[in-house]
Amino acid sequence: MDERGRTRISRTGLNKPGSFLRQRSLEDGSAGAESAGPAAQQPGGGAGASAAAGPAAVDMSRRAPSRSVQLTRRLGLVIFGLAVIALFSGLSPGAFFTHGTLITVITAESIPMMLALAVTITLRLHDLDVSFAAIMILTASIAGELLVANHVSLAVAIIVALAMGLLAGLINGFLVVVLKLSSFIATLGTMSVAEGLALSVSHSTILTGFPAAFTNDMQNGPGGVPLGAIIGWVLLLVLWLAFEYTPFGRYRTAAELLGLPVRRVRIIAYAVTGILYAAAGIVLAGMLGSVDPTSDATFLLSPLAAAFLGTTVFQLGRFNAWGTAVSVYVLAAISTGLQILGASAWVGDVFEGAALILAIALSRFLSKSSEVDLNL
């Protein structure tokens, strides 16, 4: 048999029992056949021996990682987060690991948590939506203008803001799913439109003077935890259940194989994320008591970094709700620790950009999965 035949057999047969021994026998040539003895010349004799010994040989050549190694890989980010807490607690004792710092971190990460979880929805569909921060600020500006300038009721302002978020999400879904535009380019365009509309609605001014009852409810919750953080945790549980236990939580490729209406699911996903962006905007307005129509860039990088970094924990190579949530707090712990140590203001911007790059690189390197490939 020529060299071409050897290559073809060894490549096509490696996934079958006994293929390792068959490949080795072919490489040894006739000497291997002679050493096999008469039994090897009998029909089925050599094949039976190879089939019997094949699985063991394959197991030896492709030994699976131990359970401890697999567990370490899945919990690596959690371990790293605990190490970060221990490090900053030692460097700044009495300042980092305190109840006050914990509440501060939880409060500050309420909005990034909601946005990161919402972004995870479209990322699971292999789409990248970069309009989330701009839509959040637009809906917050609409709610603020209605409450402050027009003195409408809180319920009406919330409904209008959520409706605007729904409309924005449907527009994104139409552009990406129906017109089949690049998700990145399409949402980059809607981001710019939302930024301009936010300036128009707010008359290019910072909106203040929100009702005290509204801000108090958002800023003060059970145990000193703001209501926005609780909303984020509830959203985490809802998304986890949806991702793991409903057909709508399937990845896009899996949904196609199951025969699910993928186009409809994608449009619904964009609509839901639009509503969640608006909900984050309402929470933002209540927690801060003001809305800056130019502040969307502040909330752009950290949610994306958390979503990508979340693919390196729990479910490797998969965007998942718990991974995103853990990543939000790990990144927040590092940022807070640097601030307590007196790092300059520019360090925060550098850290967010570097964190996004590192998160994407780690998600591709550690997971080695096509699930992190996006429709760009």
Side-chain angles (χ1 to χ4, degrees), residues 88 96 109 330-340 343 348 351-352:
F88 285 116
F96 182 81
E109 298 306 312
V330 169
L331 294 175
I334 298 174
S335 178
T336 302
L338 292 175
Q339 292 176 8
I340 291 177
F351 171 73
E352 286 189 352

Side-chain angles (χ1 to χ4, degrees), residues 11-359:
R11 285 180 179 176
T12 58
L14 281 178
N15 292 328
K16 300 178 182 179
S19 60
F20 177 82
L21 296 182
R22 283 197 298 272
Q23 179 189 11
R24 186 171 182 177
S25 177
L26 287 170
E27 292 174 349
D28 290 340
S30 59
E34 293 174 0
S35 62
Q41 308 299 326
Q42 298 296 328
S50 298
V58 172
D59 288 342
M60 292 178 62
S61 62
R62 296 184 178 182
R63 182 174 299 174
S66 63
R67 291 185 178 181
S68 60
V69 173
Q70 294 179 4
L71 185 62
T72 301
R73 289 179 179 176
R74 293 181 180 275
L75 299 180
L77 185 62
V78 177
I79 298 172
F80 174 75
L82 295 176
V84 167
I85 294 175
L87 173 63
F88 285 116
S89 297
L91 294 176
S92 56
F96 182 81
F97 196 69
T98 64
H99 179 266
T101 302
L102 177 62
I103 296 299
T104 299
V105 170
I106 292 175
T107 302
E109 298 306 312
S110 299
I111 303 302
M113 170 73 82
M114 295 181 66
L115 292 177
L117 290 172
V119 168
T120 302
I121 296 175
T122 50
L123 287 174
R124 286 179 70 94
L125 297 173
H126 294 191
D127 293 336
L128 177 59
D129 183 358
V130 296
S131 66
F132 56 90
I135 294 175
M136 177 189 69
I137 295 300
L138 171 60
T139 53
S141 299
I142 291 175
E145 185 69 15
L146 291 174
L147 288 172
V148 175
N150 296 281
H151 305 288
V152 303
S153 66
L154 178 60
V156 172
I158 291 176
I159 291 174
V160 173
L162 293 176
M164 185 64 208
L166 172 62
L167 176 61
L170 288 174
I171 291 174
N172 281 338
F174 176 78
L175 295 174
V176 176
V177 180
V178 179
L179 299 185
K180 298 182 179 180
L181 301 181
S182 159
S183 60
F184 174 73
I185 298 299
T187 57
L188 186 65
T190 55
M191 178 184 75
S192 181
V193 172
E195 289 174 339
L197 291 177
L199 288 172
S200 175
V201 168
S202 62
H203 307 288
S204 301
T205 60
I206 297 178
L207 299 172
T208 58
F210 287 85
F214 173 51
T215 57
N216 289 336
D217 289 342
M218 285 296 176
Q219 295 171 0
N220 302 309
V225 178
L227 185 59
I230 297 175
I231 294 175
W233 295 339
V234 172
L235 176 61
L236 166 62
L237 294 176
V238 171
L239 288 185
W240 171 63
L241 292 173
F243 288 162
E244 300 300 325
Y245 299 105
T246 70
F248 295 99
R250 301 285 184 180
Y251 271 88
R252 181 172 164 184
T253 50
E256 291 173 345
L257 292 175
L258 291 175
L260 296 177
V262 177
R263 284 167 55 92
R264 186 188 310 168
V265 170
R266 292 176 71 194
I267 293 177
I268 292 175
Y270 275 103
V272 170
T273 55
I275 295 175
L276 294 178
Y277 302 157
I282 295 170
V283 171
L284 174 69
M287 293 183 64
L288 297 182
S290 64
V291 177
D292 183 353
T294 64
S295 62
D296 59 292
T298 307
F299 302 95
L300 183 60
L301 294 185
S302 58
L304 288 175
F308 276 96
L309 192 59
T311 64
T312 65
V313 63
F314 301 133
Q315 299 179 12
L316 299 183
R318 293 176 176 268
F319 295 101
N320 63 94
W322 285 106
T324 297
V326 169
S327 300
V328 167
Y329 288 123
V330 169
L331 294 175
I334 298 174
S335 178
T336 302
L338 292 175
Q339 292 176 8
I340 291 177
L341 292 178
S344 301
W346 59 266
V347 175
D349 295 332
V350 173
F351 171 73
E352 286 189 352
L356 177 58
I357 296 173
L358 179 62

